[in-house]
Amino acid sequence: MKAVNLDFKKPDKSIVEQFRNVSVATAHEAMGRKNYIDPQIRQLYPGMKICGTAITCECHEMDNITLHAALHIAGEGDVIVCTMGDYTEQGPFGDCMATCAKSKGINGLVIDSGVRDGETIKEIGFPVFSKGHCINGTVKSEFGTVNHPIAFGGQVVNPGDIIIGDDDGVVVVPKEIAAEVLEASLKRLENEEKIRATFLSGVDSWIFSGFGEKLKARGIDIGI
């Protein structure tokens, strides 16, 4: 097995682009409430959003040379998903790498460690989802793997999967089902717009969903 895999497929660009209008929560629900990433991995700063195809990266703890290789390979529309052993007391990514990534059109980084230079990364405008801030520097010695399946945040992420991140967290959409998940997500968005309009008309969620009748059918009467 080559350490760096360049032979993998990505979903059609039009599918990926349409996912920009889909929230993490909507995609998660559309997949049957599956594929959400560990909620401890969150935006470095509020308001950061990501959507793109995964470039996967598995680094040795306290060593970021493999992350540099992933940065070299990644291109426009990609999101680097990097596991570093789920160890938070390391800062393998900072403002210089963020500048490089943004200049290449990379759409973001999702990593299960800390990162450094947070304030400058925010100013640069490069979206990062991590387990927090850490200034502990890393070495460049032992190479891991790039673009192979990785265990990340409680899920398996494959190169080319679609990664979505927003205020609610991160979700991975497997590339093999991306089209059907997109269709289900758009239908859900349309339905939710109708539900919100109903609520604005004065009908509340208890009446709309018929929870009282459902409980009574089970022999439960709560008196409302």
Side-chain angles (χ1 to χ4, degrees), residues 70-92:
L71 179 58
H72 173 64
I73 290 167
E76 186 174 354
D78 288 329
V79 171
I80 298 174
V81 182
C82 179
T83 178
M84 296 195 68
D86 202 25
Y87 177 62
T88 58
E89 293 185 27
Q90 54 187 338

Side-chain angles (χ1 to χ4, degrees), residues 172-184:
V172 52
V173 180
K175 56 189 174 184
E176 295 82 4
I177 61 171
E180 60 189 83
V181 172
L182 176 62
E183 182 179 2

Side-chain angles (χ1 to χ4, degrees), residues 50-70:
I50 56 172
C51 179
T53 45
I55 296 294
T56 60
C57 171
E58 184 167 12
C59 296
H60 291 273
E61 190 176 294
M62 293 298 295
D63 191 322
N64 74 345
I65 190 171
T66 313
L67 180 54
H68 280 278

Side-chain angles (χ1 to χ4, degrees), residues 120-191:
T120 314
I121 289 175
K122 181 182 179 183
E123 292 174 358
I124 291 167
F126 182 72
V128 172
F129 285 64
S130 70
K131 282 201 167 183
H133 302 254
C134 183
I135 60 173
N136 194 15
T138 55
V139 300
K140 297 162 181 64
S141 179
E142 296 185 70
F143 201 85
T145 64
V146 178
N147 284 336
H148 292 279
I150 60 172
F152 185 86
Q155 304 297 334
V156 174
V157 181
N158 290 281
D161 287 346
I162 298 175
I163 306 297
I164 309 172
D166 60 24
D167 288 339
D168 288 333
V170 183
V171 70
V172 52
V173 180
K175 56 189 174 184
E176 295 82 4
I177 61 171
E180 60 189 83
V181 172
L182 176 62
E183 182 179 2
S185 296
L186 295 178
K187 287 181 179 178
R188 187 175 181 85
L189 285 172
E190 183 179 356
N191 186 53

Side-chain angles (χ1 to χ4, degrees), residues 35-62:
N35 298 341
Y36 71 92
I37 297 299
D38 179 357
Q40 293 183 66
I41 298 171
R42 58 180 71 113
Q43 299 156 314
L44 195 59
Y45 290 99
M48 287 182 165
K49 294 185 178 182
I50 56 172
C51 179
T53 45
I55 296 294
T56 60
C57 171
E58 184 167 12
C59 296
H60 291 273
E61 190 176 294
M62 293 298 295

